[in-house]
Amino acid sequence: MLEYIMPVFLLLNSMSPYLLLGFLFAGILKAYVPNEKYIGFIAKPNLRSILFATFAGIPLPLCSCGVIPTGISLHKEGASKGATISFLTATPQENVQSIMVTYSLLGLPFAIINPIVAIISGLTGGIIGNKLDKSSYKGETSSKPDCCSECEGNKNKKIKLLHALHYSFVEMFQDIGKWLVIGIVIAGLLFLFLPEDLFSVYLNNPLLNMLIVLAIALPTYNCALGVIPVAAALMMKGLSPGAAFVLLMAGPATSIATMTVVGKALGKKSLLIYILNIIINALIFGLIIDFVLPASWFDLSIINNTLLPECGVHEISIFESICSIGLIGLIINAYIRKYLIAKSYK
C-alpha cells in the first residue's frame, strides 16, 4: 500500500509550500486589485487594450474554471474581442500559484518560459482578433459596478486582509481543490504504472509527441495547477520537454467548455483565431524547447530529486510535510463548506 501512496505524498510535499504561498498572493491580488479598476482599460480594439488584458490576466487569481465567465463578462461589459481573446488565452496558462509550482517541480527554465509564452500568445491572439473583426468595440465601459463587485468593494473597505485570506484559503480551494487533488493523484499513479521507456520507445519523435499531446489536451479540461505534476510525471517516463510544454500551455487554455462558450459569445471567427493561436504558439515554442534550448535545462533528474523515489529511501522535509498537512486540511475545509454546509441550508 505504501508504494502507491509514496509517489503522491512526495509530489504533494514538493508542491505544498509553493501552493500555499501562491494562494496567499492570489488573495492579496484579489483584495487589493478589484475588477472594476481595469475593465475600462480594455474596451477599445487597439494595442493598448490587448497589452493590458494580457498583462493583467497573467497574475490574476483565476484558474481555468474561473476565466471563462470572467472573460465573457468583460466582453459583455465592453471589452473588445481582441482583448477578450488575449485575456482568455493568457490568464488560464499562468498565475502566481502555477508559476511557483512549475518552479518547484519542473525547474526555473519552465517557470520563466511559460509566462513569457502566455504573454506572447495573448498578444498574438488579441492582435489577430482585432484585425479580423473591426466590429468588436462597444464603447466605453460602464463605471457602475455589479452587485458582486460592490460587495467586494465594501469588504475591502472594512478589512482587506481578512477578505484576502478568505479568498486565498476558502474560495480558491473551493474552485480548484478538486482538480488539484485529481492532478496530483493522477501524476503519482503515472509514476507507478507507466513503463519507464514508454515515450522513448513508441513516441521518440518530439513532434509526434507534441501532436498527440495536443490532440488530448485541446478538448479536455485541465486545471493550470493540476496539469503540472502530470507533465512532470510524463517527462519522467520519456515525454520530451517540448511536448510537456504543449500540455502545460494547451491543457489549461482550452477545453470543450471553453471553446463552446467562446464560439457562442464571440463568434466562429474569433473561436477559430483563439484555437489556432494556441496550437501554433504551443508547437513553435515546444519545438524551440526540444531543438534549440539546452537539454540540461529540462532534466528533471537534476532539477528535482524528490521526483525519483528509488530504493525505498526518501528524504522527507518536516516543513514540507507540515505544509502538506495544512494543504489537505484546507481542501477538506473547502469541501465541507461548499457541499456539506451548503446542502444543510437547502
Side-chain angles (χ1 to χ4, degrees):
M1 185 65 179
L2 185 62
E3 64 177 321
Y4 297 101
I5 298 175
M6 188 56 68
V8 178
F9 177 73
L10 291 175
L11 276 172
L12 181 62
N13 265 17
S14 299
M15 295 171 64
S16 56
Y18 297 91
L19 277 171
L20 292 174
L21 186 59
F23 277 115
L24 178 60
F25 284 165
I28 292 173
L29 284 171
K30 178 69 174 178
Y32 290 91
V33 189
N35 290 349
E36 61 268 18
K37 295 294 184 182
Y38 58 84
I39 290 176
F41 291 94
I42 56 178
K44 294 183 178 180
N46 54 24
L47 182 59
R48 176 175 176 267
S49 67
I50 293 169
L51 286 168
F52 192 90
T54 300
F55 283 95
I58 294 294
L60 284 180
L62 290 173
C63 65
S64 307
C65 47
V67 71
I68 301 174
T70 304
I72 300 306
S73 174
L74 291 177
H75 178 61
K76 289 181 178 180
E77 293 181 23
S80 68
K81 285 188 178 180
T84 305
I85 291 173
S86 296
F87 186 86
L88 290 171
T89 301
T91 305
Q93 291 185 53
E94 288 297 329
N95 52 48
V96 176
Q97 304 100 307
S98 62
I99 291 173
M100 291 185 174
V101 175
T102 300
Y103 172 72
S104 70
L105 292 184
L106 299 176
L108 184 60
F110 264 122
I112 294 174
I113 293 170
N114 284 10
I116 290 175
V117 176
I119 291 171
I120 292 173
S121 60
L123 293 177
T124 55
I127 291 171
I128 296 172
N130 276 345
K131 289 290 184 182
L132 297 183
D133 194 341
K134 302 289 187 179
S135 64
S136 58
Y137 178 53
K138 295 184 177 182
E140 294 297 330
T141 306
S142 171
S143 60
K144 182 180 178 181
D146 58 25
C147 59
C148 293
S149 297
E150 185 176 353
C151 177
E152 289 180 0
N154 290 336
K155 289 181 180 179
N156 291 342
K157 291 178 182 178
K158 292 178 181 178
I159 179 164
K160 287 185 176 181
L161 180 58
L162 183 61
H163 177 54
L165 292 174
H166 185 270
Y167 186 83
S168 296
F169 302 121
V170 178
E171 295 180 38
M172 286 291 289
F173 276 88
Q174 290 175 339
D175 288 338
I176 65 173
K178 177 179 71 174
W179 299 106
L180 182 61
V181 171
I182 290 173
I184 294 173
V185 171
I186 289 176
L189 295 178
L190 288 174
F191 277 120
L192 282 174
F193 297 111
L194 284 184
E196 293 292 338
D197 58 353
L198 174 65
F199 290 100
S200 60
V201 171
Y202 300 105
L203 297 175
N204 55 2
N205 185 321
L207 182 58
L208 183 59
N209 270 255
M210 295 175 203
L211 292 175
I212 292 175
V213 168
L214 194 61
I216 298 172
L218 283 176
T220 56
Y221 178 89
N222 296 277
C223 178
L225 286 176
V227 78
I228 297 170
V230 175
L234 291 176
M235 283 182 65
M236 297 299 294
K237 298 299 181 178
L239 187 70
S240 72
F245 170 79
V246 170
L247 177 61
L248 291 173
M249 178 182 174
T254 63
S255 69
I256 291 295
T258 308
M259 290 186 273
T260 302
V261 175
V262 170
K264 183 177 180 180
L266 304 183
K268 293 181 180 179
K269 183 183 290 187
S270 291
L271 173 61
L272 185 61
I273 294 169
Y274 171 74
I275 296 174
L276 289 178
N277 177 59
I278 291 172
I279 291 174
I280 293 171
N281 275 287
L283 291 177
I284 288 175
F285 285 97
L287 291 171
I288 290 174
I289 288 173
D290 277 345
F291 293 104
V292 178
L293 299 180
S296 60
W297 286 9
F298 309 100
D299 186 348
L300 294 192
S301 64
I302 298 174
I303 295 169
N304 197 336
N305 291 325
T306 62
L307 295 177
L308 295 172
E310 298 173 346
C311 305
V313 179
H314 314 284
E315 293 185 6
I316 298 177
S317 165
I318 296 177
F319 173 73
E320 290 179 348
S321 299
I322 292 173
C323 290
S324 296
I325 294 171
L327 190 68
I328 293 171
L330 289 170
I331 292 174
I332 294 173
N333 174 67
Y335 178 86
I336 292 174
R337 284 173 173 267
K338 185 174 183 178
Y339 295 103
L340 300 185
I341 295 179
K343 288 180 180 180
S344 67
Y345 284 97
K346 292 183 178 179

